[in-house]
Amino acid sequence: LEEKYITAGNGSDELISIISSTFLEIGDKVVTLSQDFSMYAFYGSIYETQPLVFQKNEDLTIDVSELVSFCNENNAKMLIFSNPCNPTSIGLDRKNVEKLLDGINKECLVVLDEAYMDFWNESLLDSVSQYDNLMILKTCSKAIGLAGIRMGFAVANEKITNAMRAVKSPY
């Protein structure tokens, strides 16, 4: 990856907080999935966003067409979820993530938390710069085993990356 697409952070948690404070305003609608990482909704609540929860299928899979419709019909400003999912381990393959990105309103920032992607191998990391509304979160704590270091990074196109860097502390 080229440096111009990367924002380093003190773990993914800090980056989720920065994303929420940078790209959302009070009352903006943020879509999370049930079941998923609880910190997405927590950081949204700190910044007084309006949480919307999309229910997965009974088998914990995601119906991509229904998720796209849910986000678009509710004018979501951001969709954030782990892929593959924490805690279910079920993920969307690359084709379905691309379908989601192609169908969702371009004003909706799609944040994919790929903390467990090293165990799934369906990442869009190599094509993140091609999307105006995609950000991918990565961590060094899972597959690399460096949880104590608190090292994570966000990858997005230059416009999004520049906005993140403008508000993030330098350390």
Side-chain angles (χ1 to χ4, degrees):
L1 295 172
E2 294 182 52
E3 180 183 332
K4 64 185 176 181
Y5 302 126
I6 302 170
T7 305
N10 297 321
S12 294
D13 268 18
E14 180 200 33
L15 292 168
I16 296 165
S17 177
I18 292 169
I19 293 164
S20 298
S21 68
T22 302
F23 299 104
L24 300 172
E25 296 180 5
I26 292 173
D28 281 346
K29 296 174 182 174
V30 177
V31 174
T32 60
L33 308 182
S34 178
Q35 298 290 330
D36 210 339
F37 187 47
S38 62
M39 296 306 287
Y40 306 140
F42 172 77
Y43 285 114
S45 70
I46 289 175
Y47 298 103
E48 299 180 50
T49 63
Q50 182 179 348
L52 300 174
V53 179
F54 178 81
Q55 296 296 319
K56 295 178 183 178
N57 298 323
E58 285 186 27
D59 63 357
L60 303 176
T61 59
I62 300 167
D63 184 312
V64 173
S65 296
E66 286 185 21
L67 178 56
V68 167
S69 294
F70 184 83
C71 290
N72 290 345
E73 290 168 8
N74 286 290
N75 295 313
K77 183 75 182 251
M78 186 167 81
L79 164 63
I80 183 168
F81 66 100
S82 57
N83 192 43
C85 179
N86 168 15
T88 69
S89 79
I90 299 170
L92 288 177
D93 61 21
R94 184 182 178 101
K95 178 182 166 189
N96 276 304
V97 175
E98 289 170 342
K99 178 181 174 182
L100 182 144
L101 289 164
D102 291 339
I104 204 163
N105 179 342
K106 300 308 175 217
E107 300 300 314
C108 180
L109 178 62
V110 177
V111 181
L112 294 178
D113 186 346
E114 292 190 350
Y116 293 93
M117 186 53 70
D118 295 303
F119 309 107
W120 184 253
N121 202 23
E122 292 283 342
S123 179
L124 260 70
L125 200 57
D126 62 344
S127 58
V128 72
S129 64
Q130 298 170 20
Y131 293 96
D132 292 334
N133 62 333
L134 174 62
M135 180 179 293
I136 295 178
L137 299 177
K138 301 294 277 186
T139 182
C140 296
S141 66
K142 307 305 185 257
I144 300 171
L146 298 175
I149 292 178
R150 301 301 310 144
M151 176 65 182
F153 55 97
V155 183
N157 67 36
E158 282 185 85
K159 183 177 179 180
I160 294 172
T161 299
N162 288 339
M164 289 276 290
R165 289 179 179 177
V167 299
K168 187 192 170 306
S169 63
Y171 48 86

